[in-house]
Amino acid sequence: MKECLIKVGMASCGRAAGAEEIYKSAEEYIKQNNLNCRLIKTACIGMCFAEPLMELIMPNMPDITYGRITEEEVPKIIQNYLNQNPQEEKILLTKKSTSETTLQGEENEGIKKQTRIVLRNCGIIDPESIEDYINRQGYAALQKVLKEMSPEKVVTEILNSRLRGRGGAGFPTGLKWEIAANSRVGEKKYMICNADEGDPGAFMDRSVLEGDPHSVIEGMLIGAYAIGADEGYIYVRAEYPLAIKHLHKAIKDAYENNILGKNILKSSFSFDLHIKEGAGAFVCGEETALIASIEGKRGMPNIRPPYPAQSGLFGQPTNINNVETFANIAWIILNGAEEFNKMGTEKSKGTKVFALAGKIKKSGLIEVPMGVPLHHVIYEIGGGMKDDSPFKAVQLGGPSGGCIPASMLNTIVDYDSISQTGAIMGSGGMVVMDENTCVVDVAKFFLTFTQNESCGKCTFCRIGTRRMLEILTRITEGKGKIEDIHTLENLAENISKASLCGLGQTAPNPVLTTLKYFREEYEEHIIDHKCRAGVCNKLINYSVVADKCVGCTACTRVCPVGCISGELKKPHFIHQNQCIKCGACFNACKFQAIVKK
Amino acid sequence: MIVVKINGKTVQAKQGQTILDVANDNNIEVPTLCHDVELNPYGSCWVCAVKVEGIKGFVTACGTQVYNNMEIITDSPEIFRARQMALELLLSDHYADCEAPCKLACPDQVDIQAYVAAIANKDYHQAVKIIKDTLPMPLSIGRVCPAFCEDECRRTLVDEPIAICKLKRFAADFDIQDFWSWVPDRAEANNRKVAIVGAGPSGLTCGYYLSNLGYEVDVFESSPKPGGWLRYGIPEYRLPKEILDKEIDLMCTNGMKIHCNNPIGNIEDSALGIAKLSRDYDAVYMAIGAQKAVDMPLPGSDLTGCYLGVDYLKQVVLGNPPKLGKKVAIIGGGNTAIDCARTAKRFGADVTVIYRRTREEMPADEFEIDAAYEEGILFYPLMNPVEYIATADEPNKLHEIRIEKMILGEPDISGRRRPMPTNLFVTEQFDSVIAAISQIPEVRFLAEEKNQVEQNILPLSKWSTIEVDENTMYSGLANIFGGGDFRRGPATAIEAIADGRIAAEQIDYWLKHGKFEKKAFRFDSKKAKKLADVSKKEYEEYSVIDRAKMPEMPIKERIDNFKEVELGFTEEQAINEAKRCLECGCQVNETCALREYASDYLIEHIILSGDQNRHPIDDSHPFIRRDNNKCINCGRCIRICSEVQGAGVLGYIYRGFTTLVAPEYNESLTQTSCESCGKCIAVCPTGALTEKHTERKISHLTGDITYQNCASCGLGCKIKVDSSNQTIRVISHPDVEHEGFNGRNICFYGRYGWQIYYQEDRICKPMQKRDGKWHEISLKEVKEILTQQLMLHKNKHFYITPELTIDELLIAKTIEATKKATVSTLYNYQDFTDKLINTNFRDLNIYRLNQAHSIIIIGEITHTLRTLCRTAQRQGAKLILVNPRQSNFNQFADEISESLASIKSDLTTKTIFVYNRNCLTEKEIYEIWKKATEVCDFEGPSGIIVNSYWDNQSGLALFDFKQGLAQKDSLNFYWNTDIDEAGESYNVCLSSYFDFNNAYDLYIPTPSYLETEGYALTDEGRISQFNNPTKSSLFYFLLNIFYETNIIHPSQAEPSLWNNKAEVLLKNRIVEDKPKHWLIDYLDTVIPSDKRQDTRDVRKKKIKELFGKAKKKGN
C-alpha cells in the first residue's frame, strides 16, 4: 500500500482549536492499525476559521484538506481516504495534484484568489524540518547569492524589486540595505529581524515564524550578506512560544547544515544569529526602542539621527526588517525582481499578508497581490460579513491605523491608497466591523491600548493620548460636550506632529478616521446621548416589551444582579437603577421581548 | 560652514549643530525643558517644537541637526499653540503648588513659608525681614490678625494648622527685644514728597515703604496718637499700646514723619485741606479708615446709657471710660462687639452679648469668642433688641431692653442663614447698652471746598467708601490715592496693610514712570483651589504633632485689668511649631523653568485637565527630596546620573501615563548606590528634585550669594554659597557666568558636607576638660589657662596640616620665626612630589584634561575630578582605570588594568596620569612618575594631575615646614589635625569641628572654609579663595586668643593683615620651567617609602558619618 501523508495544522491557531487532540487521535489510530501513514505537523495555512485542519495526501488521490474536524471523526476520515472513498462532508480544499489545482470544496475559491509568496510554505511543510524547507527550493536563493552575486548586486536586485518594508511604514527595503551597506564600511554590522508583532488582532509574523522559520532566516542571511553584517538578532515576543521553539530548532539545524556560522556554504561569508525574546512592550516594535531593548535597556525610542544604519545596536551600523519583508527576499532572488514587479501597483509591488478578523465569515491569514480592492478581500476571500449583517467599516493597521467606511470599499490595497483614507497599511491587521460596532468605542479601544503602551517619553504621547482617552470615555458615558470634538482634533493634530516615534505619531489615527467618516455618531453620543450600535453601556437601557414577554423567567435566571422581577407566565420588569447593562437578559431572551435602546 | 534660513533670515551655521544651537547663536529664543548642555539630545518634552520646511509635523529643535539650506521656523501661531499645549499637558499632570496656599490666602501675600522656615532655623531677624517685605507691622498684626492663612494651612489635613500668626508675633517680639532690630536700608532721598492722611495701619504701611524708597513722607493724623484702629479699636489686653508705640517708632526709622492732632479739613480753622496737600505733595494717600459707628435706631436709643461700640472703645483708650453700671448689654457679634464686651468686663460689669444669629454665624474670631466665654461673658444668641425702655422715675435713662427671639431662615446673599422674627419677646433689665453693629468712614468733611481737588469731591460709593482702582489704589483724581478701611469699609488690619503696600508700590512707579505698573502674568500651579478640595489621604505619611498652645494669663489674673492676655511662645515652642510646617510652596518657584514657560506661554487655565498621577513625596534621603508630582519625565536626572556621573541610580518605571522616574522598584534613593553628588538636582528643570538639609528647613527664598572655592579636597571646586544671617541655605554650582573649571559638578562633600557646621552638635565655643568632662569656658578663661600652660611647658609646639589656609600657615610661620613655638607637620603629610610643586611638572592645568588623548586614573580619586575625567572622555579621550575600587563608574572605562605595567592601550605623549596621593603609598606614586616620564612630554595635556584630600597641600609645600612626630612633655597645639600621641603633654585642639571623644585638654574653635577669608593653593597650583560667606568672626576670635596669650603681636591680630600677606605671596609665586631630564634626575634621588598618606581630621570623619546617612544599602 502506498504511503499516505497526513498533515495536521499545529500552529497556535490550530492548537487553540484542538489540533493536539486531532494529532494524538491520528497518531493512535495509525499505530493501532499499523497503517502506512506518515503523520506530520504543519503550521497555519491561513484558514483559521476552520481549524482544526487535517490534510491527507496519497498518490492517485486528490489532496484533501478537512476542516472543523473533531477528535472522534479522525479515524473515519483517515480510513475512508485510505479506502479511496473520501467522505464529502467537511472538505475544505481538494487538489488533484500538486502541479495542477482543480479545486472543489468551500475554500477553493478563497485560496485561488490569493497569491502566496510569503506564505508559500506555511501549512505545507513541517516547520521543524530543514529538509522540508530545502525540498521546496529552500536556501537555493542563499546559495545563488553566495555563489553568483556580489553584495552590491543583491542590493540592486532588492532595489529593483521595489519591495517595501512590510512592518507598516513601507520604506523601500533595497534603499534601507543600500544605506546600511554604505555606512561605515568595514566595521561590524548587525542585521535584526523585527518579530515584535504587537498590534492587537495581528498574527501574520507569528504564523510565518511558526510555519516557515527558515524563510525568515534565509532572508536575513541574504540581507546580512548584502550589507556586510556578521551577526544578527531575531527580536521576538516572548508570548510566541511556538514561534520561538520553531526558530530555535531552525537555527540549530541551520548551524548544523553550515547555513549559519563560519564560512556559510563554504563561502567567505559568516553569520551568527541569536534570538532575543521581548517582554511584550508594544513600542519595542519601533526600531530604536527595539535596539535599546536588545542592549538591555528600557525599550524607549531615541531621537533620530543617528539612524540605526549609522549607529544602531551597540553603536554599530544596524539594519532592521520585519518578518514578512525577510520572507519575501528568497523568492525575489530566485524569481527575479522583474517577476516580483509583475505583482502589485505602481508604487507597491508584490503581495501583502493580512490577518482577517472581526465580523467576517472566514477569518484567518491571507495573502493577496497589492492592488486588489478591499471589497475583494472582504467579500471574495473573506467570504463576506458574518451572519450577512451590513458592513460598517474595516479597521486597518491596528492601533496606528484607522477605520475605512463602506463608501470606500473600492480603495485598493497599496500603501498610498490606504494612507489617503487616513488609515495605514500597517503590518496587516484587518478588523471587519458591522452595524453592531460603535465607532467611538472602537476608537476608545485602540486609544486605551496605545496610551497604555506609550513608553512615557514624549509629553504629547504620554499625557495627550490619556486626555484623548478621557474625552472619549466621557463621550461614551454621555458626558461629552460638543467642544470635546474640537479638543480631540486639536490634541490629535499635535500628538501626531510632536511625537518621536510612530506610536505617538499614529496613535490619534483611529480617532481621526472615525471622526472623519462617522462624525455624526460622535455627535449623537454627545447631543442625543445615544449609541446607535448599542454598545456604550451608559447610554443604553434594557427593557421588557410586555406584549412579547411570555414570562419564561429565562432572563431572571441569567441576571447576575437579580434586577429582573416578574411572575411566571407574566410579563417581567427590569429595575433600571440596579441594572448593570451586561446584556445577559437580552441574549437569553428567545422572544425578542427585551429591547436595547 | 553651512547656510540655513531661520525665520526667514539666512544665517551661517556649523555642521553638526542642532537647530537649538543655531537659534541660541542668533538670539532666537526656543524654550526647552529636557535638553541639557552636558547631554545628548533626547527630545521628550517637545516644548522646543519647531517647523522645518519639507518635514511633516514638528521636529525638536534640541534633537535636529541642521543641514545646508535648511529652512526653519521657530515662531508661528501653530508652533506657539503646540508649545502651549505641551506645557498645558505637562501642567495638567503637575500636582503641585508653586506658592504655598497660606501665602495665597493672605490678603497681603506675606511669604509665610519662608519666615516660618527662618524661625525653624532660629533665624528670627531674617524672619522679621521676610515679613516686613510685605507687612511692616508684625508686632501688632501678630497679635490681632484673624489669620486667613491658617484657614488654608495644609497641616490641617494632618492635625491642626500651623500657628502662623503667633509665630509672626514671636519673631517680631524677639526682634524688638534684641539689641538691634531689623530695619531696611533707606534708598537715597529722591526729593519727592508724599502726604498720607490717617496714621492707621494702611497709612503707616504706605508711608513706611515710601520712606524706605527715599520719599519724604508726612502722615497727618487727627487723633492724639498714631495707630488708628489698632490703638483706638483694639483693647489694651489684646495689643498693649506700648508695643504699638515701639512698632510705629521702628517704622519711622527711615524718616516717615507723623503729625498727630492734625485733622485735615474737618475742623473749621484748619488751613490744611486735601486741595493743599494735593498741591504741596507729589501724591496723597487717603487712609482715613471707617471709624464712624453705624447707629441702631430703635425706640429709646437716645436714652442715657446707650453707647456705640467704636466710641466706647476709643473713650477707654483716651482714658475717660463712660460709667456703664453693673449690667451691660452688647449688641452684635463682630470683633468690635466682643472687644467691647471683654473691655466692659474688665471694668467689673456683668456683660451679655446679644446676637441675632447663632454662635456659628458670628463674624468675630473664634479665639476671641472663646476668650470671652472663658472670662464669664454671657451670650444671648438668636436674640434681637427691639426697644430700649426707661422707667417713669428716670424717663431719660435706660432701664430695660425688650428683646425679640429669632429663628434662622434661608441663607441670604452673605451665605449665612437669615434671622427671622418670631414675635416672641422678653424684657430684661440693663444699665447700659453698647451697640456694635458696623462702621463706615466719616466723610462729611470731604464736601468742603478746601478738601476738593480740582473742584472735584473724591469719588465715593454709597457706603461712603472711596472708589479707587483695586490694583493701583488710584482714585482717578489728580494725585489722590486711597485705601484701607476707607476703601473696603470696616475690614481687617492685614487688608488695610495690603492696600497701603500696593499704594506705596504704585505711587512709586507712577511718580517714576508716569504710569502704573502692570504685573506680568505669572503662572501658579495649585494642588487645589481650596483646602477642602485636597484629600486627607495624601497627608497620611505625616505623624500628628499638636499645635503649640500659647501661654495665657490665668483668667483670675486678667479679668480686672488690661494686661496682655496672650504671653507669647517660648523659643522652644516657636521652633517646634515652625518645624511642623509642611513646606507646601515649591523650593524652586523662582527658578523653575516650567513655571517660567507656563507664564511666557500664558497658560491661564488648564483646559486639558484630567487624571493626575499622585505620589507621596520621598523624603527618605537626607539631602535629596524627590517629589514625583512635579516631575515632567524629561529624564535629565536619569541621563546625567547614568551617562556622566556613573551611579545610574534613576530610571523610568511603568509605562504609559503612569511612567515614573524613580530608582529601581521605586525604592528609596538610600537603597541605591547614589553618591549624593546632587547633580540630579542641578539638572532638574522643575522642583521634582530639591535640596534638603538634615536639620534645617530650606525655603525658596535665596539669600546672599557668595562665590568661592570649596575646601573639601585638593581640587578646589568653585561653589556658589547662598547664605543669610551667618548661616548657609544651600551650596550649589555657580551659575554659567560665574562657572569654574568644575562646571556644574560638585561632589557630596562640597554640596552637603558643610552641613556638619550647622548642626546641633557643632561647638563654636572654647571648651576645657576638667575631671574627665568637657566644660564651656569664656575667652578670659582660655587666656588664663593658656598663659599658665605656656609658662608651665618649656617646649611649645604647633602641628599644622595642609588644611590650613595660606593665611593660617603664614601665622604659623611667624610663630616659628618669632620662636614662640616650634612648628611642624606630621611626617605623613609630605612626599617627594612636594619638591615639584613650583615646577611645570605639578602645574598641569585641569582645563587641559579635555585635550588629552588618554587619561589614566590610578586607584581612587576625588569624585568631581573623576567626573571631569569622564567628561573629557565623552569628548574623545580614552579613559583607562588602573586598579580601581569597585564602582558603577568603572563601566565607563575604555580599559581597566590591574597595574600600570599591564595597560594594553597605546599611549601617546598626550596622556594624563591622575592619582590621589592619600590613596597610594609613596612607592606607588613613584611608579606613576616613572611611567609618566616614559610616556609624557609634560607639555600641554601631558603629565600628571596629583589629587589629594587636602585643600591646601600645594600651599603647604610653598613653606619649608619640618616634619615631626608629637613631642612628650610639651604644650602641643594640634591645628586642624588629630592628636598624634597624648603622652604627658598638654594638648590643645584648634579645629573647626570638635569631638567630645578625644584626648585633648583644651578646645579652641577655628573657622571652616566657609567662615574665614583666606587663600589656598589647589593640588595643581590654582588659587583657591575663601570669602567668609557666613560673616563669621571665628578667625578674629582665634587671632584674639593668640595675641592675648602673647603668641602673636597685637598688631598681627587683624585678619585682613594675613589676607594681604597671603595675596602678595601668591601673586609673587613663580613656577619654574624645568626640562624633562631634570625630573628624571630628581626621581633618581628619591627613596620612596611604602607609607600611605592619611588624613587626620575629625571633621572628615564627621562628614563621612553624614554621608553614611544617605547610604543604607545592605542594611
Side-chain angles (χ1 to χ4, degrees), chain A residues 398-463:
Chain A
S400 310
C403 279
I404 300 174
S407 60
M408 302 186 81
L409 268 180
N410 285 331
T411 307
I412 59 163
V413 171
D414 76 3
Y415 288 96
D416 309 284
S417 310
I418 291 189
S419 289
Q420 271 169 22
T421 65
I424 61 165
M425 178 82 102
S427 55
M430 196 182 269
V431 184
V432 178
M433 301 174 232
D434 67 8
E435 296 289 352
N436 291 322
T437 312
C438 168
V439 288
V440 187
D441 187 62
V442 167
K444 194 174 91 178
F445 169 81
F446 282 113
L447 213 58
T448 307
F449 179 84
T450 31
Q451 74 94 30
N452 271 328
E453 289 295 337
S454 164
C455 78
K457 184 173 179 176
C458 299
T459 302
F460 284 98
C461 179
R462 181 179 75 249
I463 311 174

Side-chain angles (χ1 to χ4, degrees), chain A residues 234-247:
Chain A
I234 299 176
Y235 187 90
V236 57
R237 305 182 68 179
E239 295 96 318
Y240 285 179
L242 192 64
I244 292 168
K245 187 181 160 216
H246 288 181
L247 275 172

Side-chain angles (χ1 to χ4, degrees), chain B residues 593-737:
Chain B
L594 182 63
R595 190 184 193 191
E596 190 187 319
Y597 292 141
S599 307
D600 290 352
Y601 282 79
L602 306 171
I603 314 280
E604 292 186 39
H605 308 284
I606 309 287
I607 301 158
L608 301 168
S609 58
D611 286 353
Q612 285 182 323
N613 289 296
R614 294 187 183 178
H615 311 276
I617 294 167
D618 181 6
D619 248 336
S620 59
H621 194 283
F623 311 108
I624 300 168
R625 176 172 292 143
R626 291 197 313 117
D627 185 353
N628 269 112
N629 300 302
K630 296 177 182 170
C631 178
I632 56 163
N633 283 23
C634 70
R636 278 163 83 165
C637 54
I638 298 176
R639 291 176 287 141
I640 207 87
C641 187
S642 65
E643 289 169 28
V644 181
Q645 307 302 110
V649 300
L650 290 168
Y652 289 106
I653 57 174
Y654 311 138
R655 287 199 170 263
F657 181 64
T658 52
T659 306
L660 181 66
V661 175
E664 268 183 357
Y665 309 115
N666 205 6
E667 280 191 326
S668 159
L669 267 182
T670 57
Q671 300 292 314
T672 68
S673 49
C674 168
E675 292 172 339
S676 306
C677 66
K679 189 86 174 267
C680 52
I681 300 178
V683 299
C684 181
T686 71
L689 291 160
T690 47
E691 305 277 358
K692 273 182 72 184
H693 189 290
T694 50
E695 289 183 11
R696 297 161 55 82
K697 281 191 185 295
I698 302 178
S699 83
H700 70 109
L701 222 53
T702 48
D704 302 324
I705 304 297
T706 313
Y707 296 95
Q708 68 160 51
N709 295 85
C710 177
S712 298
C713 78
L715 195 57
C717 291
K718 194 128 180 247
I719 53 173
K720 172 182 166 187
V721 185
D722 179 340
S723 59
S724 70
N725 257 9
Q726 313 203 314
T727 56
I728 290 175
R729 181 179 163 268
V730 288
I731 288 184
S732 55
H733 61 276
D735 320 315
V736 179
E737 57 267 33

Side-chain angles (χ1 to χ4, degrees), chain B residues 894-912:
Chain B
D894 293 306
E895 185 187 337
I896 294 183
S897 173
E898 276 184 16
S899 69
L900 275 177
S902 57
I903 292 174
K904 288 194 187 71
S905 307
D906 295 330
L907 302 177
T908 66
T909 51
K910 300 301 171 217
T911 296
I912 295 181

Side-chain angles (χ1 to χ4, degrees), chain B residues 745-808:
Chain B
N745 302 300
I746 328 176
C747 68
F748 163 79
Y749 296 90
R751 199 181 277 272
Y752 303 113
W754 59 270
Q755 291 190 6
I756 64 156
Y757 302 120
Y758 300 95
Q759 294 198 324
E760 292 289 337
D761 55 356
R762 168 93 190 276
I763 311 282
C764 283
K765 297 272 168 55
M767 306 282 281
Q768 186 200 15
K769 196 190 250 166
R770 284 197 305 265
D771 319 320
K773 279 188 184 155
W774 287 98
H775 302 273
E776 198 178 302
I777 53 171
S778 69
L779 179 62
K780 204 174 136 219
E781 285 169 296
V782 176
K783 186 189 153 190
E784 281 163 12
I785 295 164
L786 269 187
T787 313
Q788 193 192 5
Q789 292 295 337
L790 282 161
M791 286 199 306
L792 274 174
H793 290 92
K794 190 167 159 260
N795 295 328
K796 286 149 243 174
H797 194 80
F798 271 79
Y799 290 103
I800 53 162
T801 77
E803 301 207 358
L804 298 186
T805 61
I806 302 256
D807 312 43
E808 288 165 332

